[in-house]
Amino acid sequence: VDDVKAFFATWYVPKNLTLVVAGDFEKDAAKELVEKYFGKMASPTPPARPAPPPVVLPGEVRETMEDDVELGKLIIVWHSPAHFAPGDAELDLAAATLHSGKASRLYKSLVYDKRLAQSVSAYQSSQDLGSTFTIEAIARPGIALADLEKATLVEVDRLVAGGVTQAELDRAKNQYETGFVARLQALQSRATSLATYEGSLGEPDSAQRDLDRYLGATP
């Protein structure tokens, strides 16, 4: 319990807080409320943020989980760049190239052409210190996961070796930009974006900077 209290007292302080007030409100009244609830809290300067080294796996790690399910599922995960680090946005676009839409590489190969998978997805899970890039595929009845894995990695290797086409990249960019703008329509999403940009980049008004990471990507 003492460890928990010490951690809270060290990090949960106003100087380490990002607060966003969004909506239809009176600015002066809002400031008074912020002062009321946060102004009397002690605010020591938190320690410098740690800078852990990138995670490196010494080799391949495999795990098999058995359960009473009708169809097998394959999950392949790689360590990947942290949120806003070089490569993070590009892997979002690579994921779209692999799985988004019936013309995407994994869908066309695994679901449509070879009929090995019921469904397939790829995504970059962006986190502050380091991220993961994941491919998931659910096998069709009677399909061995080893065969599904082999066919999946063929497409990954093809992407790594040959990159993406300009047409694939343009389609992925358009999809991402559409989703990005749509997310900003909701007040809660805009507030969350402001907090995220302030906490991660130190600049709350970074929506265009964020979007430009994707629009500026090259094959």
Side-chain angles (χ1 to χ4, degrees):
V1 174
D2 289 340
D3 287 344
V4 175
K5 290 180 177 179
F7 183 89
F8 192 88
T10 300
W11 296 102
Y12 284 74
V13 295
K15 284 186 179 179
N16 207 32
L17 168 73
T18 298
L19 174 67
V20 176
V21 181
D24 184 10
F25 62 88
E26 296 293 337
K27 184 170 66 174
D28 291 340
K31 286 185 174 181
E32 289 180 6
L33 289 172
V34 172
E35 180 64 29
K36 175 182 177 181
Y37 289 110
F38 295 97
K40 295 180 180 179
M41 294 174 61
S43 189
T45 299
R49 294 187 180 188
V55 176
V56 178
L57 285 176
E60 188 178 86
V61 177
R62 286 179 174 266
E63 182 177 0
T64 300
M65 300 178 65
E66 301 285 350
D67 207 342
D68 184 19
V69 294
E70 184 175 342
L71 301 174
K73 184 175 185 179
L74 172 73
I75 304 176
I76 309 176
V77 186
W78 294 265
H79 288 293
S80 56
H83 199 194
F84 299 114
D88 173 54
E90 287 81 356
L91 282 176
D92 272 327
L93 296 172
T97 298
L98 285 172
H99 93 102
S100 184
K102 294 184 178 180
S104 63
R105 297 191 182 195
L106 286 178
Y107 186 92
K108 185 176 185 303
S109 175
L110 303 181
V111 178
Y112 186 75
D113 290 342
K114 299 176 182 176
R115 301 186 65 81
L116 296 173
Q118 293 270 76
S119 63
V120 62
S121 64
Y123 51 93
Q124 162 80 342
S125 298
S126 302
Q127 304 292 329
D128 286 341
L129 301 182
S131 307
T132 54
F133 185 86
T134 303
I135 293 176
E136 299 185 9
I138 296 178
R140 285 185 181 273
I143 298 299
L145 289 182
D147 294 334
L148 181 56
E149 176 186 352
K150 182 178 179 180
T152 300
L153 292 179
V154 165
E155 293 303 321
V156 173
D157 291 341
R158 189 164 73 90
L159 179 69
V160 172
V164 301
T165 66
Q166 187 64 55
E168 287 177 320
L169 181 59
D170 290 343
R171 183 165 58 246
K173 286 182 179 182
N174 290 338
Q175 290 172 347
Y176 189 86
E177 185 176 15
T178 299
F180 186 92
V181 173
R183 288 193 298 273
L184 294 180
Q185 302 304 307
L187 179 64
Q188 181 65 53
S189 295
R190 294 201 297 275
T192 299
S193 294
L194 289 170
T196 298
Y197 294 143
E198 170 63 22
S200 298
L201 302 175
E203 298 176 355
D205 188 16
S206 292
Q208 189 63 54
R209 173 183 171 184
D210 186 10
L211 181 58
D212 285 345
R213 297 187 302 143
Y214 296 85
L215 300 183
T218 65

